[in-house]
Amino acid sequence: MARRADPPAGLAAEFADAEALLRAARRLHESGYRRFEAYSPFPIDGLAEAEGFKESKIAAATLVGGFVGAATGYGMQVYTNLDFPIDVGGRPLIAQPAFVLITFELMVLFAVTACILAMLLLNRLPKLYHPVFDIERFGLASLDRFFLVVDADDAKFDRKNSRALLRRLGAVNVTPMPAADLEVQAEP
Amino acid sequence: MASQDAALDADYRHVTREVTRIPLAFPHKRTWWIAFLAALTLLGLYLVSAGVTFAVGIGAWGNDIPVNWGIAISNYIWWIGIGHAGTLISAMLLLMRQRWRNSLNRFAEAMTLFAVVCGGLYPIIHLGRPWFFYWMAPYPATMGVWPQFKSPLTWDFFAVLTYLTVSAMFWYVGIIPDLAATRDRAKRHSAQVFFGVLALGWRGAARHWARWRQAYRTCAAIAVPLVISVHSEISMIFAAGPEPGWMSTVFPPYFVLGAAFSGFAVVAMIATVTRRAFGLQDLITEKHLDMLGRLTLATGMMTAYGYFADVFGALYGGGRYELHTLHERFFGEVAWAYWGAVILNFVPLQLLWLRRWRVAPVALFLVGLSCTIGMWCERYMLLVSTLYRDYLVSSWGHFWPSFWEWTLFFGSIGLWLTLFLLFVRILPMISAFEIKEATFEEEEAAEASRG
Amino acid sequence: MPMTPPHIARSRLSDRDLRRAAAEFPTAFEGLSQTDRRDLLKVMGASLALAGLAGCHQDPHPEARPYVRVPDGIVLGQSRAYATAVTFGGYAQPVLATTHEGRPTKLEGLPDHPASQGATDAFTQAALLGLYDPGRSKGPARLGQPTDWAQIDAAMVANAARLDAVKGAGFRLLSGAITSPTLGRLIDAMLQRWPQARWHAFEPVNDDLRLEAARQAFGRPLLVRPQLEAAEAVISFDDDLLGPGPFQTSQARGWAARRAAYQRGQGGSELLTAEPAPSLTGAVSQHRLIASVAGVDRLVLALAAALGVGGVAAPALAATQAAWLAEAAAALRRAGGASYVGVGAFHDPAIQALALRINDRLGAIGRTTVLSQPLIKATPGNSGSLAALVADAHAGLVDSLAIFDANPVYAAPADLEVAGALQKVRLRFHAGLHADETAALCHWHAPVEHDLETWGDALAVDGRPSLIQPLVRPFYAVRARSVLLQNLQGDLAADPRRLLAATWTDKLGDLDSPAWRAAQERGFLDEPVTAVTAASAAGPAPATSASNALTVLVRPDPAVWDGALANNPWLQELPRPFTSLTWDNVVAVAPALARRLGLKNGDVVQLAAGARMLEGPVWIMPGQDPSTLVVTLGFGRTAPGLGQAVGFDVAPLRTVGASWRVDGATLTPTGRSLPLATTQDVTTLGDFDFVRTAPRTSVAPKPPTPPPPSFYPPKPESRPQWGMSIDLDVCIGCNACVVACQAENNVPVVGKTQVAKGRHMHWLRVDHYEAGEPDDPAFFNQPVPCMHCEQAPCEMGCPVNAAVHSDDGLNLQVYNRCIGTRTCSSYCPYKVRRFNWFDFTGGDPPELRAARNPDVTVRSRGVMEKCNYCLQRIVAGKIAAQVAGRDIADGEVRTACQQACPTDAIVFGDISDGASQVVARKAQGRNYALLEEANTRPRTTYLARLAPDAGDGDG
Amino acid sequence: MPQIFRPSADIWLRAAVVMVFFLVLGGGLFATGLARSSYATGQGWPIEQTVPFSHKHHAGDLGIDCRYCHVDVERGPVAGIPPTYTCMTCHSQVWTGAPMLAPVRDSLASGQPLVWTRVAKLPGYVYFDHQIHIDRGVPCVECHGRMDQMPLAYRAHALEMRFCLSCHRDPAPHLKPPDMVTRMDWAGWDLVAAHRAYGAAAMKRFHIEPAKLTDCGLCHR
């Protein structure tokens, strides 16, 4: 209630379909906006790119995880066999062929774990409380509506112009995003 | 244009509502409770049987020397095998951009997860001294002894552990967006909190989606070889030993294909049932049944080839003991299992050559059931036919599973059912957002073509 | 000559030591009632370090109860060995008994005793458990109710006083077979004191017919002892020379000695058998002819005729029989005096006598056929003796009766109706190890001491007197037999040791004389019975009866014998030769007969001869004569105990006249069927080559072959490297090794149901195979211990390093590391591994725990176990050698199976020591590895059986 | 659409995640720690005995050689707890009336054994042979610690498998002249060059091959 009075933390524009959103995002980025984010009920090709998103950290993390895993797996087997050398059925002490399998398994385990942790960390998840949830109709963002939220502290943000721009970009309606109880930290 | 959008929106809405209504406002609760209680009863049976085994020892089973592995191990292989279909469907088909998989992957993966749980518990229960099972894990023990990493069992220990963890993570990551959707549909606060926490505060931001996709695709790419490695290693439990009928190079692919086969059969069964039970005809369409039928048929025929290769190998190799084991499989005490496997696996399967049968839910279900049972027979046959009469005539024996072995087996089905029923009850069992994505992209494509 | 392991100190045991040694069991002196058996356990459990696998959960600071005084020469935790003997069928089986802190834990043959040369049979190995048998009677009883000695003493004194007055009129003594000089002396004294008294003897399995045969041949009853080491040709007419019985060890040793010489190319070793049912002897003979009992008799006549023995006309023979006979005759002519012809102990004495004449004609008497005075104390009219007693009892001539170590109520032929006769006797005493069927019908039951806890003596089969000394104070309120004999005469002050000494004073002087000590340390006196020479007189040609109906042969059981051993769990679960049956006896029928009647194993049949009948399950015995049925004694006991209601009693079928052979029997299926527990389901060899036969030339060393190629790295050379060689040419499948292994390694007994489920625990098994026609197959025995593969699949399978390889080539199983995945067993091509499906040992009563070998871990539930080449012996030998600063000598470490084997079929040693016996064996051309194609590189290998030389017949 | 969670919810959630992580980690560490703790191994915990026998007094102050009471240590697998008789060889002369020794006197009189509590008892599946260790010159103190300083005996070492292995893998530093095995104090021993070389020499002399010393069958059968 009290929040109504506060200056809005940003503007939330609702779009009826994905193409509109995609277009809007692209134009917004072209016209120099940086601190904005698009929300959609399903992944849309090129949307993030339209916002100027470019990163391959996850692939890197996975790769590292895989290497660490494989090293751990193989190292563990070699180490334990040297630590207490035991003759097992006359097999070689360090039996590479036999060690391959566990090496592979641990590689997979570490790679996948790293991959998913990286995804969550980079996305700053879990994040149960977020100002966008204050937007009136945001609940539809997981159903069939598409949202574009411009942060108030974007360099080019201007309540009137931005609203106008969003309208021009085909937003079916533009509502102010109420300020958060704690200051909004922008998306990276 | 606008009308199209409207249509699309309606489409999206419909999909999500269809999917989320089930956990939020569960239809025909009564039937569910009946099924659930039945499952719980079986689960109880499971616990009792395991308890008895722990209390008195493996002697409670029918095992003996020479057949010191019995139903426990064959079930282990059977369960894990079934699990493989889920991962294949969701991972491999995802990579191949087979959009139709979106209606199936969610519960297929859940099925995988629970099957692996059921399978993974068996090797522990079957131990002579289960309270020491952790000796298979490498940890700094005061006795300074480590696990024996040249043993196929140790390989399995790691394989199954990895498989379980990876499938669980893959499954969960895939479900997050729909959890968010359910959260947003929820009316009751408790439900909102429940799904809210599970959804980790997912809000569908473009960058999140981007990263999510990267991660999901990567995991999928890794999961495929993982699946293949897992059942290859399980086949090593047999293939690494010197026993006639086991020591065969065809086993790894043979096991993997068999696994996929049984898995697809089970997925087909689940698909037909849930489709009917929750009226999801327009999410799980005839197309899906058709595809499932094809997959089952394809892997089934490959498995058949495995059978052939196995027999051919023995005959061509001409090893005395190999031939003898082959003879035992054809005409011995467990011939019922061999012919049971051959008939149940491959005879009804031939129906699936015709689309008419593939898209007929009842037919598909029955074929799936027959294949599932058939593969159980195969696992049993492979294990017993070799062990009960291996090399020395003097050590030839018999194997008759005991009451407790059977109850443990049926109990494990109860365990699976319990978990799966809980899943369909409280989680969105179909991937709504992926269907939406698919529809959108199809729409895009359509438009592009319209120019 | 076999050696005693050096770490075992041989020493004499004085009763002073005994009192101290027995301080182990403070509660064990007085008779233990059921209730304070627990205390016994506690004391033992605490002080005897009973190894257990409870390890991980066990209290790290348990109680300890040290000696109050340590007996001389006792070294804690170290075993000692004493020379003594256990009796079997009246004969002494000389043993070297191992004790741990005063508990006998193992019996070995007495190495320097000529009769056994350190070997034992299954019965002797199992005798140990007789001492600890929980079913033993633990105190005197009156009319079945526990009482105390005072009462029974009073009764005996009173009776003695009465008998003194009447010169013993109406008193009868009934005993089993007795060779003990002391008991003999005491009985003679008693009979002198009471001239009117009479002594009867009853031993269910006895030499009576043999003695009778000797009487017919030589005019007086003589004991005939074949000297097989000298016999280059042996013809056995249903005479199981190598089979179970008191003479098995010495005769098997003799035969093996000859066989060994033959293998070395010194002289011949031919063995031909004609028999109605397979016997251990028949199984190893080069030409085995199947013939009914009557047929066998005819063959004896034919042979006599062929050799021109006194006025016997040759009967008509079938072609096969004629061929066999020709071969036999040829062999005998070749060997001349170095041959032996034997006829089964249960055959018509006249026929047996004929065989003696044949031996005489061949000039074998004195060479292969040694005659001597009988060793069993003769009683008036031997076998008639019990019948006489019964008759007198019915006639009211018997007023009081004392029964020693005899159980006629169970073991006597039914038609004697001993039970009824007993009722006619006013006062009945019974003395024995168990409160058996006979004890139940006596007023007084007096428990006697087991051979391992008593003073006494007995004659070994070669007549050498063995001295029996106690290794432990009796656990229970029991008395020595000699003492009881005195008590019967009213002398309550008798002391067993003095009674024994009195017998030998003239030879050995008094108890403290060096001679006496020496004799006791040695365990026997080197005084073989003197051989007598006698010429056989031609007798009437015996008539042979050929009945076309079925003939039932009654034989002692190869494990529980006449039933006296029915309470011994090791023997009950001992797989019988040929059938591998446990916990049951059967009606053995020929395959042909089974086919005709449509019978299969386990079908219950009714076996009738006239009005007498019994019921039992059938067993199809390949190689048995179609007109012959075989049943065994020792089952269907009714007295409480382990043997109660196990199998069926054959007494109802037997009569005094026909106690070993019942003619004119009929067999009718009842349609019912019983589950039988065998340790081996299939015995047909088929086209497999697990057991092999090789020409005699193959004993020559074959050129060493380079090891086959391998992916695995070569083993670093270190010594010693243990290995074993088993010679199938001399293995007679006597099972001595199986029981020896069980005793040495605390191998549990699991009972019939578990055996039937394929869960028996024997680490060493003897596989039985039949090759060829089931109606007339060739038989093979194959002892199978762990092969200790150099490339062991089992080890590779174990996920927790519980199955591993030792530096000296042992395939080890670390019980306390095992978690029971059973992969090792799945991967074992030989299936020699055994799994503890249940807690097989936890429920053992304290007595059985006390019998365990403390040097071997008692395995807990859920762990795998298997043969480890008697690792505890290897370690002990290693330590002894290292302390002495030398290498382990060849033959110094001997496995339990090797030590027990009467034919030296098993040789164990260091294969890296070129001079060792085992290397010499493995070098032979006939050496082969079982399942070589599995490429497991076994350390245990086999020597193929030798095929008879060309011309010796078709083998 | 109203917020479902309060801003603080995230803090709580993350806190919970971290908590769980450390609980699992800590649990593991605790288990391993417990297994090694003196509580589990009994290391250093003096043990009450029916007769409060003091090794410090007898072995330390009076300087009685271990072998006087533990006679079998040189010739058998077990050192043996001395029989009542041994105690009385002295205590029939000294402290004859001491109430502390009453149980000992009773034991001799009644013939009932004294009941002691084992201090260095190995599990039943471990077979340790004193004879060979003494013979090779492994001093008592290596495993039993400074018994001469223990008023009441306790386990100086945990006597776990890894303890045995530590010596079996590298015996040299632990070997001492066999005729001095009962010596307790070896302080300064390592300083003397010749002495430091002793272990190696002994290994050679006795043909001690560590490779063979870790065979499972050496102690487990």
Side-chain angles (χ1 to χ4, degrees), chain C residues 309-664:
Chain C
V309 174
V312 181
L317 291 179
T320 53
Q321 295 181 321
W324 181 89
L325 191 74
E327 187 185 340
L332 290 177
R333 291 203 186 82
R334 270 198 296 281
S339 47
Y340 178 82
V341 177
V343 172
F346 306 118
H347 279 249
D348 172 4
I351 300 287
Q352 295 191 47
L354 189 54
L356 293 173
R357 295 198 185 91
I358 296 176
N359 282 326
D360 196 5
R361 159 61 57 88
L362 291 164
I365 302 292
R367 288 181 66 181
T368 67
T369 318
V370 170
L371 307 174
S372 68
Q373 291 302 335
L375 302 174
I376 303 277
K377 280 284 283 169
T379 59
N382 290 326
S383 55
S385 173
L386 180 64
L389 174 65
V390 169
D392 292 357
H394 281 297
L397 301 176
V398 185
D399 170 68
S400 58
L401 170 68
I403 303 174
F404 271 71
D405 289 328
N407 186 7
V409 174
Y410 163 75
D415 66 339
L416 269 181
E417 279 152 8
V418 177
L422 281 185
Q423 305 296 355
K424 298 255 190 320
V425 180
R426 181 184 60 82
L427 181 59
R428 311 184 285 270
F429 294 97
H430 175 273
L433 280 166
H434 296 90
D436 55 22
E437 292 84 348
T438 305
L441 295 180
C442 292
H443 302 102
W444 298 97
H445 166 65
V448 299
E449 293 173 350
H450 185 272
D451 289 328
L452 294 175
E453 59 186 2
T454 192
W455 291 100
D457 51 12
L459 304 183
V461 291
D462 62 354
R464 288 183 171 79
S466 284
L467 294 178
I468 297 173
Q469 60 174 329
L471 307 172
V472 60
R473 270 294 180 95
F475 301 164
Y476 312 121
V478 290
R479 285 184 187 173
R481 295 170 181 76
S482 53
V483 170
L484 279 167
L485 270 175
Q486 293 307 92
N487 297 158
L488 274 173
Q489 303 171 54
D491 164 15
L492 297 182
D495 163 45
R497 188 147 175 264
R498 311 232 164 283
L499 291 173
L500 171 66
T503 317
W504 301 99
T505 12
D506 46 354
K507 282 204 181 64
L508 303 174
D510 63 7
L511 280 172
D512 305 325
S513 69
W516 175 263
R517 289 162 177 267
Q520 209 171 67
E521 224 167 288
R522 186 169 189 195
F524 68 98
L525 279 64
D526 200 353
E527 294 166 352
V529 62
T530 47
V532 300
T533 51
S536 62
T544 64
S545 68
S547 73
N548 47 10
L550 295 173
T551 302
V552 184
L553 301 184
V554 182
R555 297 286 180 259
D557 183 80
V560 300
W561 200 237
D562 58 7
L565 304 173
N567 285 339
N568 190 311
W570 289 347
L571 292 176
Q572 282 285 13
E573 197 157 301
L574 184 60
R576 311 302 196 264
F578 304 107
T579 64
S580 332
L581 265 170
T582 63
W583 293 99
D584 262 311
N585 60 338
V586 289
V587 180
V589 302
L593 182 62
R595 278 195 299 273
R596 204 169 72 238
L597 298 178
L599 291 170
K600 59 184 195 317
N601 289 345
D603 288 355
V604 177
V605 294
Q606 187 181 63
L607 192 54
R612 310 187 306 282
M613 61 181 58
L614 58 75
E615 282 193 355
V618 291
W619 187 266
I620 302 169
M621 187 68 247
Q624 182 165 312
D625 164 58
S627 69
T628 305
L629 307 170
V630 182
V631 294
T632 56
L633 298 173
F635 288 86
R637 295 284 307 268
T638 57
L642 193 69
Q644 187 176 23
V646 174
F648 60 89
D649 182 7
V650 296
L653 207 62
R654 308 173 71 199
T655 61
V656 180
S659 55
W660 301 113
R661 167 184 174 182
V662 183
D663 289 322

Side-chain angles (χ1 to χ4, degrees), chain C residues 51 53 55 58 60-64 66-70 75-78 719 807 812 815-816 854-857 871 882, chain D residues 47 72 75 77-78 80-81 83-85 111 113-114 116-119 123-125 127 132 136 155 212 215 217 220-221:
Chain C
L53 251 186
Q58 79 186 174
H61 302 293
E63 265 187 3
Y67 285 103
V68 175
R69 291 157 177 260
V70 182
V75 176
L76 296 176
Q78 209 166 68
R719 293 190 54 189
D807 194 74
L812 300 169
Y815 312 123
N816 48 303
D855 292 338
V856 176
T857 307
L871 180 58
Q882 285 175 350
Chain D
I47 290 169
D72 289 334
R75 44 187 185 140
V78 292
I81 295 170
T84 319
Y85 193 67
L114 275 168
W116 298 95
T117 307
R118 298 284 302 273
V119 173
Y125 49 78
Y127 290 85
I132 189 65
R136 292 301 190 249
R155 272 188 190 195
K212 294 186 179 184
D215 270 349
H220 301 302
R221 27 186 155 111

Side-chain angles (χ1 to χ4, degrees), chain D residues 6 8 23 25 37-38 58 61 63 65 68-69 83 96 103 107 133-134 137 147 149-150 172 194 203 209 217-218:
Chain D
R6 252 181 264 89
S8 56
L23 274 182
L25 191 73
S37 69
S38 72
H58 290 84
D61 309 347
D65 187 281
Y68 181 83
C69 303
T96 47
S107 158
H133 287 85
I134 296 296
M147 297 302 290
Q149 296 174 352
M150 300 182 190
M203 297 264 291
E209 304 162 57
L218 213 60

Side-chain angles (χ1 to χ4, degrees), chain B residues 19-58:
Chain B
V19 174
T20 51
R21 85 185 145 81
I22 296 172
L24 288 176
F26 195 74
H28 38 71
K29 290 199 174 57
R30 204 158 145 286
T31 346
W32 185 88
W33 272 111
I34 293 166
F36 191 62
L37 287 181
L40 279 182
T41 330
L42 279 177
L43 179 57
L45 191 61
Y46 184 73
L47 297 177
V48 171
S49 320
V52 168
T53 312
F54 286 152
V56 303
I58 298 302

Side-chain angles (χ1 to χ4, degrees), chain B residues 6-29:
Chain B
L8 260 182
D9 294 357
D11 212 344
Y12 299 154
R13 233 174 283 122
H14 175 65
V15 170
T16 308
R17 294 230 166 88
E18 275 294 299
V19 174
T20 51
R21 85 185 145 81
I22 296 172
L24 288 176
F26 195 74
H28 38 71
K29 290 199 174 57

